[in-house]
Amino acid sequence: MGQALLGIWLFTSMIYHGQSVPPLNPALKISFQFEKNGISTLYYKRDDEVGFCERKANFSLNKNQLKQTVIWVNPENSGTCGVDPDMQMGHESLTQAEIINDKLNLKFQMGEDDLFYVWERKGRN
């Protein structure tokens, strides 16, 4: 899946209890870019707010486990970005990742339940 992951992905929906549901906040726009050099960029903003959050991380993929370590945080980020662990220098994450029907599914825990963020490809490196 490594090569298949490369490119730009936009967050479009979630899967919760096996059902596809729209994002909770339709004004929230999130993108992920995965580059050949092993750098991922996470960027998000809300249409109805000023500012954005952006960071870069080293990433690797091993048996559908996406590992990321934050190596750069945009100094122009909104003041509220720092509350998000994914926007903190050195933060490491390990996330189950699968591409199903040309969509990237990233698995997160919501309490005791699984929540999948679904991303659609918008470009390729």
Side-chain angles (χ1 to χ4, degrees):
M1 182 174 82
Q3 285 292 102
L5 186 62
L6 299 180
I8 299 169
W9 298 86
L10 301 179
F11 173 58
T12 57
S13 64
M14 299 180 299
I15 299 173
Y16 186 63
H17 288 259
Q19 300 293 315
S20 180
V21 294
L24 297 176
N25 181 350
L28 178 62
K29 306 300 183 208
I30 311 173
S31 67
F32 248 128
Q33 180 173 358
F34 296 93
E35 300 178 52
K36 291 178 189 173
N37 62 4
I39 302 291
S40 65
T41 302
L42 174 63
Y43 177 92
Y44 60 85
K45 67 184 242 38
R46 289 173 180 80
D47 288 338
D48 53 352
E49 295 179 14
V50 174
F52 63 90
C53 298
E54 180 182 35
R55 64 90 170 134
K56 293 186 183 291
N58 286 322
F59 80 91
S60 61
L61 191 63
N62 185 16
K63 297 181 181 177
N64 291 347
Q65 291 293 313
L66 175 63
K67 181 180 181 182
Q68 299 184 89
T69 304
V70 176
I71 58 169
W72 177 82
V73 176
N74 192 322
E76 302 295 317
N77 278 354
S78 296
T80 57
C81 298
V83 237
D84 181 351
D86 224 3
M87 291 290 158
Q88 298 171 6
M89 283 294 295
H91 176 74
E92 289 188 8
S93 62
L94 190 62
T95 309
Q96 181 181 323
E98 292 184 281
I99 295 178
I100 301 170
N101 297 325
D102 296 322
K103 294 182 181 183
L104 173 63
N105 292 336
L106 299 178
K107 179 181 174 182
F108 299 95
Q109 286 299 125
M110 183 174 218
E112 295 181 12
D113 297 320
D114 292 337
L115 174 68
F116 294 87
Y117 275 38
V118 180
W119 309 74
E120 293 186 22
R121 184 186 307 279
K122 291 299 173 194
R124 233 189 155 99
N125 290 357

